[in-house]
Amino acid sequence: MKNQLRVIISGGGTGGHIFPAISIANELRLRYPSCEILFVGAQDKMEMQKVPEAGYEIEGLWISGFQRRITAKNLLFPVKLVKSLWKARDIIKRFKPNVVIGTGGFASGPLLQMANREDIPTLIQEQNSYPGITNKLLAKGANTICTAYPDMGRFFPEEKIVLTGNPVRQDLLKVDEKRKEAQDFFGIDPAMKTVLVLGGSLGARKINQLVEDNLKEFEKHKLQVLWQTGTLYFEEYSKYAELENIQTFAFLKRMDLAYAAADVIISRAGAGTVSELCIVGKPVVFIPSPNVAEDHQTKNAMAVAEKDAAVVLSESHLEQGFRSIFFPLVESDEKMQNLGKNIKKLEKPNATANIVNEVEKLLTTWP
């Protein structure tokens, strides 16, 4: 079987779905060097770029989400769905996978649905404390559902759930050893503290506005900033890279070095990001997105803050609260060290291996 293993992995739309998928693929290839892995994503989403950059082949489906309000795009949804189901069926018949893995996102819906019809074992990896609609719909047909949070039986069949944690990029496991490399890579001053700003792969307008409004404060406190604006906002905010000690990026390709360079991090609280930050072990100020199902980013962030392992600021209180909380924090080495130490205690570094262990269980029980 090891020489013939064929795996399809589907997930995308955001980095929160893509990077866990890539981590799982990397672990599979580590265990089975000759295995064939094919990714399937949405043809106009970021996975079509990020997956090939990671060294894997990908095919795209013409699929997108259904808008909750009435829009012209909704008129195309049934057509996209049918065409995506047909193409997913063709991909499965041509590739003949031993197992299909879904990490969330619209493309994984048609792909796993067709795999179930062909009696191919499927595994879902759910990153969030509140699942997306795609994974909730796929749960009935899935063989195994790997989760990052406990108490997910209210969403999924209890007998299928395995608590594994969220996959993280393996290059994050030793960021402490990359500090000097990171400082050289970004050309930053080792004598100054570095703030890393993360608003997600697409960006967060409120966080970008917050940084813009506090540029003089960063300068006053002698802070240098690595600012990931997100692809949607890079053109608007890239001009600030002309300022001393400010660097702007649409997307940070070397996240391991960005984390290694950082002394303190301002970030959204997506499940994948929270898992990464626990591994990294740096002080974090979470600014959860309020525009997500069941406000799950706030729940993710509060689960960490309740352990005295992070600071949480809501978007509605940024103007009043940010300066009074953030700058005293960076001025206190003791507070920063305590936050970093406490968040490190929450890490689950073996999540990817645990998930692939579950994949192997499906392979051993399937002809």
Side-chain angles (χ1 to χ4, degrees), residues 83-117:
K83 288 183 69 69
S84 294
L85 286 167
W86 286 346
K87 186 171 182 180
R89 181 192 61 186
D90 291 341
I91 290 172
I92 287 171
K93 287 186 176 296
R94 170 167 35 90
F95 191 76
K96 296 180 173 60
N98 299 101
V99 64
V100 174
I101 301 166
T103 62
F106 303 123
S108 63
L111 201 285
L112 269 74
Q113 182 67 27
M114 287 294 104
N116 290 333
R117 290 189 184 182

PDB file of all heavy atoms in Angstrom, residues 83-117:
ATOM      1  N   LYS A  83     -21.832  21.664 -11.822  1.00  0.00           N
ATOM      2  CA  LYS A  83     -20.591  21.499 -12.587  1.00  0.00           C
ATOM      3  C   LYS A  83     -19.446  21.032 -11.688  1.00  0.00           C
ATOM      4  O   LYS A  83     -18.612  20.222 -12.099  1.00  0.00           O
ATOM      5  CB  LYS A  83     -20.223  22.813 -13.297  1.00  0.00           C
ATOM      6  CG  LYS A  83     -21.117  23.157 -14.470  1.00  0.00           C
ATOM      7  CD  LYS A  83     -20.661  24.426 -15.157  1.00  0.00           C
ATOM      8  CE  LYS A  83     -19.346  24.238 -15.890  1.00  0.00           C
ATOM      9  NZ  LYS A  83     -19.469  23.362 -17.060  1.00  0.00           N
ATOM     10  N   SER A  84     -19.416  21.532 -10.455  1.00  0.00           N
ATOM     11  CA  SER A  84     -18.359  21.135  -9.524  1.00  0.00           C
ATOM     12  C   SER A  84     -18.515  19.682  -9.109  1.00  0.00           C
ATOM     13  O   SER A  84     -17.522  18.959  -8.963  1.00  0.00           O
ATOM     14  CB  SER A  84     -18.374  22.045  -8.289  1.00  0.00           C
ATOM     15  OG  SER A  84     -18.026  23.372  -8.637  1.00  0.00           O
ATOM     16  N   LEU A  85     -19.747  19.235  -8.921  1.00  0.00           N
ATOM     17  CA  LEU A  85     -19.977  17.833  -8.588  1.00  0.00           C
ATOM     18  C   LEU A  85     -19.532  16.923  -9.726  1.00  0.00           C
ATOM     19  O   LEU A  85     -18.899  15.886  -9.499  1.00  0.00           O
ATOM     20  CB  LEU A  85     -21.461  17.609  -8.276  1.00  0.00           C
ATOM     21  CG  LEU A  85     -21.950  18.142  -6.925  1.00  0.00           C
ATOM     22  CD1 LEU A  85     -23.476  18.153  -6.876  1.00  0.00           C
ATOM     23  CD2 LEU A  85     -21.387  17.312  -5.768  1.00  0.00           C
ATOM     24  N   TRP A  86     -19.841  17.312 -10.959  1.00  0.00           N
ATOM     25  CA  TRP A  86     -19.418  16.515 -12.119  1.00  0.00           C
ATOM     26  C   TRP A  86     -17.904  16.440 -12.205  1.00  0.00           C
ATOM     27  O   TRP A  86     -17.331  15.380 -12.428  1.00  0.00           O
ATOM     28  CB  TRP A  86     -19.969  17.123 -13.412  1.00  0.00           C
ATOM     29  CG  TRP A  86     -21.434  16.896 -13.606  1.00  0.00           C
ATOM     30  CD1 TRP A  86     -22.245  16.031 -12.937  1.00  0.00           C
ATOM     31  CD2 TRP A  86     -22.276  17.564 -14.555  1.00  0.00           C
ATOM     32  NE1 TRP A  86     -23.532  16.114 -13.392  1.00  0.00           N
ATOM     33  CE2 TRP A  86     -23.594  17.039 -14.388  1.00  0.00           C
ATOM     34  CE3 TRP A  86     -22.072  18.551 -15.514  1.00  0.00           C
ATOM     35  CZ2 TRP A  86     -24.667  17.472 -15.157  1.00  0.00           C
ATOM     36  CZ3 TRP A  86     -23.143  18.985 -16.285  1.00  0.00           C
ATOM     37  CH2 TRP A  86     -24.421  18.454 -16.100  1.00  0.00           C
ATOM     38  N   LYS A  87     -17.250  17.609 -12.050  1.00  0.00           N
ATOM     39  CA  LYS A  87     -15.793  17.619 -12.157  1.00  0.00           C
ATOM     40  C   LYS A  87     -15.158  16.851 -11.003  1.00  0.00           C
ATOM     41  O   LYS A  87     -14.163  16.135 -11.196  1.00  0.00           O
ATOM     42  CB  LYS A  87     -15.255  19.052 -12.192  1.00  0.00           C
ATOM     43  CG  LYS A  87     -13.744  19.097 -12.442  1.00  0.00           C
ATOM     44  CD  LYS A  87     -13.233  20.496 -12.705  1.00  0.00           C
ATOM     45  CE  LYS A  87     -11.736  20.471 -13.003  1.00  0.00           C
ATOM     46  NZ  LYS A  87     -11.195  21.830 -13.268  1.00  0.00           N
ATOM     47  N   ALA A  88     -15.730  16.985  -9.796  1.00  0.00           N
ATOM     48  CA  ALA A  88     -15.213  16.237  -8.655  1.00  0.00           C
ATOM     49  C   ALA A  88     -15.303  14.733  -8.912  1.00  0.00           C
ATOM     50  O   ALA A  88     -14.378  13.978  -8.601  1.00  0.00           O
ATOM     51  CB  ALA A  88     -15.984  16.611  -7.391  1.00  0.00           C
ATOM     52  N   ARG A  89     -16.418  14.300  -9.479  1.00  0.00           N
ATOM     53  CA  ARG A  89     -16.580  12.876  -9.811  1.00  0.00           C
ATOM     54  C   ARG A  89     -15.527  12.438 -10.809  1.00  0.00           C
ATOM     55  O   ARG A  89     -14.907  11.368 -10.662  1.00  0.00           O
ATOM     56  CB  ARG A  89     -17.970  12.631 -10.382  1.00  0.00           C
ATOM     57  CG  ARG A  89     -18.254  11.172 -10.739  1.00  0.00           C
ATOM     58  CD  ARG A  89     -19.516  11.047 -11.551  1.00  0.00           C
ATOM     59  NE  ARG A  89     -19.402  11.797 -12.809  1.00  0.00           N
ATOM     60  CZ  ARG A  89     -20.408  11.953 -13.673  1.00  0.00           C
ATOM     61  NH1 ARG A  89     -21.596  11.445 -13.405  1.00  0.00           N
ATOM     62  NH2 ARG A  89     -20.224  12.642 -14.791  1.00  0.00           N
ATOM     63  N   ASP A  90     -15.271  13.271 -11.829  1.00  0.00           N
ATOM     64  CA  ASP A  90     -14.271  12.926 -12.840  1.00  0.00           C
ATOM     65  C   ASP A  90     -12.870  12.847 -12.231  1.00  0.00           C
ATOM     66  O   ASP A  90     -12.077  11.961 -12.573  1.00  0.00           O
ATOM     67  CB  ASP A  90     -14.287  13.951 -13.972  1.00  0.00           C
ATOM     68  CG  ASP A  90     -15.552  13.871 -14.805  1.00  0.00           C
ATOM     69  OD1 ASP A  90     -16.241  12.830 -14.750  1.00  0.00           O
ATOM     70  OD2 ASP A  90     -15.866  14.859 -15.514  1.00  0.00           O
ATOM     71  N   ILE A  91     -12.561  13.787 -11.325  1.00  0.00           N
ATOM     72  CA  ILE A  91     -11.244  13.790 -10.676  1.00  0.00           C
ATOM     73  C   ILE A  91     -11.048  12.512  -9.867  1.00  0.00           C
ATOM     74  O   ILE A  91      -9.995  11.869  -9.925  1.00  0.00           O
ATOM     75  CB  ILE A  91     -11.094  15.032  -9.764  1.00  0.00           C
ATOM     76  CG1 ILE A  91     -10.985  16.301 -10.616  1.00  0.00           C
ATOM     77  CG2 ILE A  91      -9.859  14.896  -8.860  1.00  0.00           C
ATOM     78  CD1 ILE A  91     -11.030  17.589  -9.794  1.00  0.00           C
ATOM     79  N   ILE A  92     -12.073  12.126  -9.137  1.00  0.00           N
ATOM     80  CA  ILE A  92     -11.982  10.918  -8.294  1.00  0.00           C
ATOM     81  C   ILE A  92     -11.822   9.662  -9.152  1.00  0.00           C
ATOM     82  O   ILE A  92     -11.000   8.782  -8.850  1.00  0.00           O
ATOM     83  CB  ILE A  92     -13.218  10.817  -7.378  1.00  0.00           C
ATOM     84  CG1 ILE A  92     -13.120  11.878  -6.273  1.00  0.00           C
ATOM     85  CG2 ILE A  92     -13.331   9.421  -6.767  1.00  0.00           C
ATOM     86  CD1 ILE A  92     -14.364  12.011  -5.440  1.00  0.00           C
ATOM     87  N   LYS A  93     -12.588   9.567 -10.231  1.00  0.00           N
ATOM     88  CA  LYS A  93     -12.491   8.384 -11.092  1.00  0.00           C
ATOM     89  C   LYS A  93     -11.127   8.315 -11.776  1.00  0.00           C
ATOM     90  O   LYS A  93     -10.585   7.228 -11.997  1.00  0.00           O
ATOM     91  CB  LYS A  93     -13.619   8.418 -12.131  1.00  0.00           C
ATOM     92  CG  LYS A  93     -14.996   8.104 -11.542  1.00  0.00           C
ATOM     93  CD  LYS A  93     -16.037   8.018 -12.633  1.00  0.00           C
ATOM     94  CE  LYS A  93     -17.394   7.612 -12.064  1.00  0.00           C
ATOM     95  NZ  LYS A  93     -17.378   6.257 -11.476  1.00  0.00           N
ATOM     96  N   ARG A  94     -10.568   9.465 -12.112  1.00  0.00           N
ATOM     97  CA  ARG A  94      -9.279   9.487 -12.800  1.00  0.00           C
ATOM     98  C   ARG A  94      -8.119   9.240 -11.831  1.00  0.00           C
ATOM     99  O   ARG A  94      -7.202   8.499 -12.122  1.00  0.00           O
ATOM    100  CB  ARG A  94      -9.110  10.833 -13.500  1.00  0.00           C
ATOM    101  CG  ARG A  94      -7.726  11.100 -14.063  1.00  0.00           C
ATOM    102  CD  ARG A  94      -7.713  12.289 -15.010  1.00  0.00           C
ATOM    103  NE  ARG A  94      -8.619  13.345 -14.618  1.00  0.00           N
ATOM    104  CZ  ARG A  94      -8.281  14.361 -13.815  1.00  0.00           C
ATOM    105  NH1 ARG A  94      -7.068  14.430 -13.303  1.00  0.00           N
ATOM    106  NH2 ARG A  94      -9.168  15.314 -13.531  1.00  0.00           N
ATOM    107  N   PHE A  95      -8.164   9.863 -10.646  1.00  0.00           N
ATOM    108  CA  PHE A  95      -7.056   9.790  -9.699  1.00  0.00           C
ATOM    109  C   PHE A  95      -7.099   8.524  -8.843  1.00  0.00           C
ATOM    110  O   PHE A  95      -6.066   8.038  -8.395  1.00  0.00           O
ATOM    111  CB  PHE A  95      -7.059  11.032  -8.801  1.00  0.00           C
ATOM    112  CG  PHE A  95      -5.824  11.200  -7.976  1.00  0.00           C
ATOM    113  CD1 PHE A  95      -4.635  11.664  -8.538  1.00  0.00           C
ATOM    114  CD2 PHE A  95      -5.825  10.884  -6.620  1.00  0.00           C
ATOM    115  CE1 PHE A  95      -3.491  11.823  -7.775  1.00  0.00           C
ATOM    116  CE2 PHE A  95      -4.694  11.038  -5.841  1.00  0.00           C
ATOM    117  CZ  PHE A  95      -3.525  11.506  -6.429  1.00  0.00           C
ATOM    118  N   LYS A  96      -8.316   8.027  -8.580  1.00  0.00           N
ATOM    119  CA  LYS A  96      -8.519   6.804  -7.793  1.00  0.00           C
ATOM    120  C   LYS A  96      -7.850   6.880  -6.412  1.00  0.00           C
ATOM    121  O   LYS A  96      -6.958   6.085  -6.078  1.00  0.00           O
ATOM    122  CB  LYS A  96      -8.004   5.581  -8.551  1.00  0.00           C
ATOM    123  CG  LYS A  96      -8.758   5.286  -9.846  1.00  0.00           C
ATOM    124  CD  LYS A  96      -8.196   4.054 -10.546  1.00  0.00           C
ATOM    125  CE  LYS A  96      -9.047   3.665 -11.748  1.00  0.00           C
ATOM    126  NZ  LYS A  96      -9.125   4.726 -12.777  1.00  0.00           N
ATOM    127  N   PRO A  97      -8.285   7.819  -5.576  1.00  0.00           N
ATOM    128  CA  PRO A  97      -7.647   7.967  -4.258  1.00  0.00           C
ATOM    129  C   PRO A  97      -8.003   6.833  -3.309  1.00  0.00           C
ATOM    130  O   PRO A  97      -9.087   6.247  -3.393  1.00  0.00           O
ATOM    131  CB  PRO A  97      -8.233   9.289  -3.750  1.00  0.00           C
ATOM    132  CG  PRO A  97      -9.580   9.366  -4.399  1.00  0.00           C
ATOM    133  CD  PRO A  97      -9.387   8.778  -5.771  1.00  0.00           C
ATOM    134  N   ASN A  98      -7.085   6.548  -2.381  1.00  0.00           N
ATOM    135  CA  ASN A  98      -7.369   5.607  -1.299  1.00  0.00           C
ATOM    136  C   ASN A  98      -8.158   6.275  -0.179  1.00  0.00           C
ATOM    137  O   ASN A  98      -8.886   5.610   0.565  1.00  0.00           O
ATOM    138  CB  ASN A  98      -6.070   5.060  -0.712  1.00  0.00           C
ATOM    139  CG  ASN A  98      -5.248   4.313  -1.743  1.00  0.00           C
ATOM    140  OD1 ASN A  98      -4.287   4.863  -2.265  1.00  0.00           O
ATOM    141  ND2 ASN A  98      -5.625   3.077  -2.049  1.00  0.00           N
ATOM    142  N   VAL A  99      -7.985   7.590  -0.042  1.00  0.00           N
ATOM    143  CA  VAL A  99      -8.663   8.345   1.001  1.00  0.00           C
ATOM    144  C   VAL A  99      -8.774   9.795   0.547  1.00  0.00           C
ATOM    145  O   VAL A  99      -7.932  10.292  -0.220  1.00  0.00           O
ATOM    146  CB  VAL A  99      -7.893   8.243   2.341  1.00  0.00           C
ATOM    147  CG1 VAL A  99      -6.516   8.876   2.233  1.00  0.00           C
ATOM    148  CG2 VAL A  99      -8.686   8.856   3.485  1.00  0.00           C
ATOM    149  N   VAL A 100      -9.822  10.475   1.007  1.00  0.00           N
ATOM    150  CA  VAL A 100     -10.031  11.890   0.686  1.00  0.00           C
ATOM    151  C   VAL A 100     -10.154  12.666   1.991  1.00  0.00           C
ATOM    152  O   VAL A 100     -10.894  12.268   2.898  1.00  0.00           O
ATOM    153  CB  VAL A 100     -11.285  12.090  -0.185  1.00  0.00           C
ATOM    154  CG1 VAL A 100     -11.559  13.581  -0.387  1.00  0.00           C
ATOM    155  CG2 VAL A 100     -11.119  11.396  -1.527  1.00  0.00           C
ATOM    156  N   ILE A 101      -9.428  13.783   2.078  1.00  0.00           N
ATOM    157  CA  ILE A 101      -9.378  14.592   3.297  1.00  0.00           C
ATOM    158  C   ILE A 101      -9.921  15.981   2.984  1.00  0.00           C
ATOM    159  O   ILE A 101      -9.536  16.605   1.989  1.00  0.00           O
ATOM    160  CB  ILE A 101      -7.931  14.716   3.818  1.00  0.00           C
ATOM    161  CG1 ILE A 101      -7.356  13.329   4.108  1.00  0.00           C
ATOM    162  CG2 ILE A 101      -7.857  15.605   5.049  1.00  0.00           C
ATOM    163  CD1 ILE A 101      -5.846  13.321   4.301  1.00  0.00           C
ATOM    164  N   GLY A 102     -10.799  16.487   3.822  1.00  0.00           N
ATOM    165  CA  GLY A 102     -11.332  17.834   3.663  1.00  0.00           C
ATOM    166  C   GLY A 102     -10.989  18.701   4.857  1.00  0.00           C
ATOM    167  O   GLY A 102     -11.170  18.279   6.009  1.00  0.00           O
ATOM    168  N   THR A 103     -10.491  19.910   4.594  1.00  0.00           N
ATOM    169  CA  THR A 103     -10.140  20.827   5.682  1.00  0.00           C
ATOM    170  C   THR A 103     -11.029  22.065   5.702  1.00  0.00           C
ATOM    171  O   THR A 103     -10.704  23.042   6.366  1.00  0.00           O
ATOM    172  CB  THR A 103      -8.661  21.260   5.582  1.00  0.00           C
ATOM    173  OG1 THR A 103      -8.451  21.960   4.350  1.00  0.00           O
ATOM    174  CG2 THR A 103      -7.730  20.065   5.661  1.00  0.00           C
ATOM    175  N   GLY A 104     -12.151  22.015   4.993  1.00  0.00           N
ATOM    176  CA  GLY A 104     -13.075  23.142   4.999  1.00  0.00           C
ATOM    177  C   GLY A 104     -12.922  24.012   3.767  1.00  0.00           C
ATOM    178  O   GLY A 104     -11.927  23.962   3.058  1.00  0.00           O
ATOM    179  N   GLY A 105     -13.923  24.821   3.511  1.00  0.00           N
ATOM    180  CA  GLY A 105     -13.950  25.620   2.291  1.00  0.00           C
ATOM    181  C   GLY A 105     -14.923  25.004   1.303  1.00  0.00           C
ATOM    182  O   GLY A 105     -15.250  23.817   1.373  1.00  0.00           O
ATOM    183  N   PHE A 106     -15.384  25.820   0.363  1.00  0.00           N
ATOM    184  CA  PHE A 106     -16.457  25.402  -0.528  1.00  0.00           C
ATOM    185  C   PHE A 106     -16.090  24.222  -1.421  1.00  0.00           C
ATOM    186  O   PHE A 106     -16.906  23.350  -1.693  1.00  0.00           O
ATOM    187  CB  PHE A 106     -16.898  26.582  -1.395  1.00  0.00           C
ATOM    188  CG  PHE A 106     -17.347  27.767  -0.589  1.00  0.00           C
ATOM    189  CD1 PHE A 106     -16.733  29.002  -0.750  1.00  0.00           C
ATOM    190  CD2 PHE A 106     -18.359  27.648   0.340  1.00  0.00           C
ATOM    191  CE1 PHE A 106     -17.139  30.095   0.002  1.00  0.00           C
ATOM    192  CE2 PHE A 106     -18.769  28.727   1.101  1.00  0.00           C
ATOM    193  CZ  PHE A 106     -18.155  29.962   0.928  1.00  0.00           C
ATOM    194  N   ALA A 107     -14.843  24.159  -1.873  1.00  0.00           N
ATOM    195  CA  ALA A 107     -14.453  23.102  -2.804  1.00  0.00           C
ATOM    196  C   ALA A 107     -14.508  21.726  -2.176  1.00  0.00           C
ATOM    197  O   ALA A 107     -14.726  20.720  -2.866  1.00  0.00           O
ATOM    198  CB  ALA A 107     -13.056  23.374  -3.356  1.00  0.00           C
ATOM    199  N   SER A 108     -14.310  21.648  -0.873  1.00  0.00           N
ATOM    200  CA  SER A 108     -14.304  20.340  -0.232  1.00  0.00           C
ATOM    201  C   SER A 108     -15.690  19.697  -0.211  1.00  0.00           C
ATOM    202  O   SER A 108     -15.809  18.479  -0.095  1.00  0.00           O
ATOM    203  CB  SER A 108     -13.759  20.436   1.204  1.00  0.00           C
ATOM    204  OG  SER A 108     -14.587  21.239   2.016  1.00  0.00           O
ATOM    205  N   GLY A 109     -16.733  20.505  -0.354  1.00  0.00           N
ATOM    206  CA  GLY A 109     -18.083  19.968  -0.355  1.00  0.00           C
ATOM    207  C   GLY A 109     -18.350  19.000  -1.496  1.00  0.00           C
ATOM    208  O   GLY A 109     -18.633  17.811  -1.263  1.00  0.00           O
ATOM    209  N   PRO A 110     -18.256  19.444  -2.762  1.00  0.00           N
ATOM    210  CA  PRO A 110     -18.473  18.529  -3.884  1.00  0.00           C
ATOM    211  C   PRO A 110     -17.500  17.360  -3.903  1.00  0.00           C
ATOM    212  O   PRO A 110     -17.874  16.228  -4.220  1.00  0.00           O
ATOM    213  CB  PRO A 110     -18.269  19.432  -5.106  1.00  0.00           C
ATOM    214  CG  PRO A 110     -18.545  20.803  -4.628  1.00  0.00           C
ATOM    215  CD  PRO A 110     -18.073  20.839  -3.211  1.00  0.00           C
ATOM    216  N   LEU A 111     -16.231  17.611  -3.538  1.00  0.00           N
ATOM    217  CA  LEU A 111     -15.210  16.573  -3.614  1.00  0.00           C
ATOM    218  C   LEU A 111     -15.505  15.436  -2.626  1.00  0.00           C
ATOM    219  O   LEU A 111     -15.517  14.262  -2.992  1.00  0.00           O
ATOM    220  CB  LEU A 111     -13.840  17.193  -3.334  1.00  0.00           C
ATOM    221  CG  LEU A 111     -12.581  16.474  -3.819  1.00  0.00           C
ATOM    222  CD1 LEU A 111     -12.244  15.273  -2.969  1.00  0.00           C
ATOM    223  CD2 LEU A 111     -12.711  16.074  -5.285  1.00  0.00           C
ATOM    224  N   LEU A 112     -15.779  15.775  -1.372  1.00  0.00           N
ATOM    225  CA  LEU A 112     -16.052  14.736  -0.376  1.00  0.00           C
ATOM    226  C   LEU A 112     -17.407  14.082  -0.601  1.00  0.00           C
ATOM    227  O   LEU A 112     -17.579  12.895  -0.318  1.00  0.00           O
ATOM    228  CB  LEU A 112     -15.962  15.302   1.036  1.00  0.00           C
ATOM    229  CG  LEU A 112     -14.544  15.197   1.665  1.00  0.00           C
ATOM    230  CD1 LEU A 112     -13.592  16.208   1.046  1.00  0.00           C
ATOM    231  CD2 LEU A 112     -14.598  15.386   3.175  1.00  0.00           C
ATOM    232  N   GLN A 113     -18.356  14.842  -1.127  1.00  0.00           N
ATOM    233  CA  GLN A 113     -19.658  14.253  -1.438  1.00  0.00           C
ATOM    234  C   GLN A 113     -19.515  13.164  -2.492  1.00  0.00           C
ATOM    235  O   GLN A 113     -20.092  12.071  -2.367  1.00  0.00           O
ATOM    236  CB  GLN A 113     -20.611  15.340  -1.932  1.00  0.00           C
ATOM    237  CG  GLN A 113     -22.016  14.870  -2.239  1.00  0.00           C
ATOM    238  CD  GLN A 113     -22.773  14.418  -1.005  1.00  0.00           C
ATOM    239  OE1 GLN A 113     -22.509  14.867   0.089  1.00  0.00           O
ATOM    240  NE2 GLN A 113     -23.717  13.505  -1.182  1.00  0.00           N
ATOM    241  N   MET A 114     -18.724  13.421  -3.509  1.00  0.00           N
ATOM    242  CA  MET A 114     -18.515  12.423  -4.565  1.00  0.00           C
ATOM    243  C   MET A 114     -17.693  11.240  -4.047  1.00  0.00           C
ATOM    244  O   MET A 114     -17.928  10.096  -4.435  1.00  0.00           O
ATOM    245  CB  MET A 114     -17.810  13.067  -5.758  1.00  0.00           C
ATOM    246  CG  MET A 114     -18.699  14.001  -6.577  1.00  0.00           C
ATOM    247  SD  MET A 114     -20.064  13.147  -7.415  1.00  0.00           S
ATOM    248  CE  MET A 114     -21.449  13.621  -6.363  1.00  0.00           C
ATOM    249  N   ALA A 115     -16.738  11.520  -3.161  1.00  0.00           N
ATOM    250  CA  ALA A 115     -15.964  10.427  -2.573  1.00  0.00           C
ATOM    251  C   ALA A 115     -16.864   9.497  -1.765  1.00  0.00           C
ATOM    252  O   ALA A 115     -16.722   8.265  -1.829  1.00  0.00           O
ATOM    253  CB  ALA A 115     -14.859  10.999  -1.690  1.00  0.00           C
ATOM    254  N   ASN A 116     -17.786  10.074  -1.023  1.00  0.00           N
ATOM    255  CA  ASN A 116     -18.724   9.246  -0.254  1.00  0.00           C
ATOM    256  C   ASN A 116     -19.568   8.364  -1.169  1.00  0.00           C
ATOM    257  O   ASN A 116     -19.827   7.195  -0.861  1.00  0.00           O
ATOM    258  CB  ASN A 116     -19.638  10.139   0.593  1.00  0.00           C
ATOM    259  CG  ASN A 116     -18.898  10.816   1.735  1.00  0.00           C
ATOM    260  OD1 ASN A 116     -17.896  10.310   2.228  1.00  0.00           O
ATOM    261  ND2 ASN A 116     -19.394  11.969   2.165  1.00  0.00           N
ATOM    262  N   ARG A 117     -19.989   8.904  -2.295  1.00  0.00           N
ATOM    263  CA  ARG A 117     -20.802   8.127  -3.234  1.00  0.00           C
ATOM    264  C   ARG A 117     -20.020   6.963  -3.829  1.00  0.00           C
ATOM    265  O   ARG A 117     -20.602   5.940  -4.203  1.00  0.00           O
ATOM    266  CB  ARG A 117     -21.318   9.035  -4.352  1.00  0.00           C
ATOM    267  CG  ARG A 117     -22.370  10.034  -3.910  1.00  0.00           C
ATOM    268  CD  ARG A 117     -22.980  10.741  -5.097  1.00  0.00           C
ATOM    269  NE  ARG A 117     -23.919  11.773  -4.676  1.00  0.00           N
ATOM    270  CZ  ARG A 117     -24.627  12.516  -5.514  1.00  0.00           C
ATOM    271  NH1 ARG A 117     -24.494  12.336  -6.830  1.00  0.00           N
ATOM    272  NH2 ARG A 117     -25.462  13.434  -5.059  1.00  0.00           N
TER     273      ARG A 117
END
